[in-house]
Amino acid sequence: MTTPQALGLRKSFGFGDRLGLATPGHLAALRRFPDFAGIFAQQSIRELTRTQRTPEEVMSAAQKALTAAGHAAPWGADGDHLKTPEDVQRVAAAGFCFFTIDPSAYVNNAADTMDEAALRTEVAAQEADGLFSGFDWQDYYLNRVFNVSPRFAPFRFDEESLFRAAVKYARATAHAATMGEAIKQASAGRAFDIEVSVDETDSPTTPLEHLFFALELQRRGVPNLVSLAPRFIGDFEKGIDYRGDLGKFEEQLRVHVAISKFAGPYKISIHSGSDKFSAYPAIGRVCGSLLHVKTAGTSYLEALRVAARVNVPLFAEIAAFSRGCFETDRASYHISATNQQVAALPAYRSVADEPAYLDDVAGRQLLHVTFGSVLTRGRTAGGRSFKEALLETLEQHSGLHAELLETHFVKHLALLTAG
């Protein structure tokens, strides 16, 4: 099947591919877990900018690989972290049918710490701006009991919790509605799915905030909402395992899933979802079929692992270049690796140094966040672009590349089904 499809509520797994050569390995892993639908064309606007790719190139790379493999099952294509109607038009024109709305610019992260006067001032501003026009929102939320699930105590808003939720998220839900209409128009009659993501915000999304957010998306008529990505407790950092209390994470995840059934149903989406091996059994167990997992940079790291094994000089130059870019490139990512840890990494001399760069936290996060600089600005000592040299290495060793990816993602998917 060469055309992506809307997958609806089917359990799904997103494979980001920053180089356009990873789909054979992704597909080999997914074929062993047929209960998951694959999203093989997936790229955020940020990644498109940093890799200097187009949505058409992302789509074409996936389609060619799936055609060559004779893949017949439905698959999806995700235009990720879309912030403007112009973003929507770009990916829709290339045939994408899964649209991830990112309204994070409209989330007020200060809501958690505002005093009463500041909260009331912002609520008044929202009402003056017409965010709740024609809807007696305070009466609706304050005078209702929300029986989300018999497993949990009923949800109730008091004035403070309602005002904090509204100040934090009401403008974001209004923007999501605007984006939803843009997606509907850009899809021109084609079936489509929508995800809304608020994972890249400063503080976790509490269950009560999740309920407010979801009910507001519903009230505003965001069409075809199939998944929502909250900001979870603990840390979902790039390229490494979950950091936090797994027991508390699972306990709160159960509440998030109950809300997704009550206010949807829609899937819970796990962003920065790669390499969260310790959390996967709980995620799979609790979410069941209402699950979407999104990965991206981890496939790029497996491509670099190929170079680290078969083209040591190239990887050594990439590693050294990345160390020089790290302080600048880390600014837009949630990571814990420090400049000091990165500076302490050994110079890459042989495959004996591979674990320091591709298995340990500092090395993985160094390579993860510098991908844009590597692929667009980096050059070998001989003047050749890193991207060209890396693509050649991967094409010459396509079997190893596919094998590493298959092994890596089988580990992901097996743990997600282990619960």
Side-chain angles (χ1 to χ4, degrees):
M1 182 174 294
T2 60
T3 303
Q5 295 185 5
L7 300 173
L9 293 179
R10 184 174 173 185
K11 183 165 67 170
S12 50
F13 195 98
F15 298 94
D17 181 6
R18 293 171 175 170
L19 295 168
L21 296 176
T23 298
H26 293 161
L27 180 58
L30 192 75
R31 279 177 166 167
R32 297 168 64 173
F33 300 88
D35 54 328
F36 280 91
I39 294 183
F40 294 110
Q42 175 196 289
Q43 200 108 78
S44 69
I45 296 297
R46 177 172 63 189
E47 289 175 329
L48 288 170
T49 300
R50 293 186 177 182
T51 58
Q52 296 182 358
R53 298 178 80 197
T54 67
E56 288 78 11
E57 288 171 332
V58 175
M59 180 68 74
S60 177
Q63 288 176 320
K64 288 179 180 178
L66 294 171
T67 299
H71 184 64
W75 60 280
D78 178 6
D80 192 19
H81 282 287
L82 307 173
K83 297 186 177 186
T84 69
E86 291 73 24
D87 293 341
V88 169
Q89 291 164 7
R90 285 185 65 193
V91 298
F96 284 71
C97 51
F98 184 102
F99 300 85
T100 300
I101 299 170
D102 178 359
S104 57
Y106 296 84
V107 175
N108 189 337
N109 289 296
D112 294 342
T113 56
M114 282 182 173
D115 61 21
E116 181 182 353
L119 285 172
R120 290 186 179 280
T121 297
E122 176 54 26
V123 165
Q126 290 184 347
E127 291 179 330
D129 290 340
L131 262 68
F132 301 104
S133 180
F135 175 50
D136 190 352
W137 70 286
Q138 292 192 43
D139 178 70
Y140 177 81
Y141 285 109
L142 291 175
N143 296 315
R144 184 178 175 189
V145 175
F146 298 91
N147 292 299
V148 168
S149 167
R151 298 187 58 184
F152 304 110
F155 279 56
R156 293 179 173 88
F157 289 89
D158 58 25
E159 188 176 72
E160 180 182 354
S161 63
L162 177 60
F163 280 17
R164 291 198 188 280
V167 169
K168 189 173 184 179
Y169 287 125
R171 294 187 187 277
T173 63
H175 180 66
T178 299
M179 291 286 285
E181 183 59 30
I183 290 165
K184 183 178 179 179
Q185 292 181 9
S187 296
R190 291 182 289 118
F192 62 89
D193 294 326
I194 286 180
E195 172 172 300
V196 181
S197 164
V198 288
D199 69 298
E200 293 190 355
T201 53
D202 291 350
S203 59
T205 308
T206 69
L208 202 57
E209 289 170 344
H210 178 176
L211 179 62
F212 173 83
F213 194 93
L215 291 175
E216 284 296 293
L217 293 178
Q218 183 184 91
R219 180 179 72 84
R220 295 178 186 280
V222 175
N224 300 352
L225 180 71
V226 301
S227 52
L228 190 150
R231 165 78 152 81
F232 295 107
I233 60 172
D235 289 313
F236 278 72
E237 295 187 18
K238 301 297 185 182
I240 64 172
D241 206 345
Y242 174 77
R243 292 191 162 194
D245 186 315
L246 284 169
K248 290 180 180 178
F249 167 73
E250 180 171 352
E251 180 181 352
Q252 193 170 99
L253 180 63
R254 290 187 181 279
V255 186
H256 283 301
V257 171
I259 293 167
S260 79
K261 294 176 180 178
F262 173 81
Y266 51 80
K267 296 180 281 188
I268 293 294
S269 186
I270 312 294
H271 283 215
S272 297
S274 64
D275 310 297
K276 304 303 179 285
F277 300 117
S278 64
Y280 284 155
I283 290 170
R285 178 171 59 247
V286 173
C287 293
S289 62
L290 290 177
L291 173 63
H292 178 57
V293 178
K294 191 168 298 196
T295 70
T298 198
S299 293
Y300 171 71
L301 295 184
E302 291 307 296
L304 292 181
R305 195 184 296 275
V306 174
R309 294 186 181 181
V310 304
N311 194 339
V312 170
L314 173 62
F315 184 83
E317 289 190 81
I318 290 174
F321 177 84
S322 295
R323 288 165 69 172
C325 301
F326 178 71
E327 186 170 4
T328 299
D329 289 354
R330 66 167 294 159
S332 58
Y333 287 96
H334 175 57
I335 60 171
S336 57
T338 66
N339 294 332
Q340 292 76 19
Q341 289 172 326
V342 166
L345 288 168
Y348 196 85
R349 294 186 176 89
S350 72
V351 292
D353 297 314
E354 180 186 314
Y357 283 91
L358 289 161
D359 297 326
D360 297 339
V361 171
R364 287 184 67 80
Q365 293 195 328
L366 161 69
L367 296 172
H368 193 294
V369 304
T370 57
F371 75 93
S373 295
V374 167
L375 296 177
T376 59
R377 297 193 293 109
R379 294 194 168 274
T380 67
R384 193 180 189 194
S385 74
F386 283 153
K387 182 176 182 178
E388 182 183 355
L390 180 59
L391 290 174
E392 180 180 83
T393 297
L394 294 174
E395 288 167 350
Q396 290 174 345
H397 299 275
S398 58
L400 175 61
H401 186 208
E403 177 187 341
L404 290 175
L405 286 166
E406 180 180 2
T407 299
H408 191 54
F409 283 104
V410 163
K411 183 179 180 181
H412 284 66
L413 293 159
L415 286 169
L416 284 165
T417 59

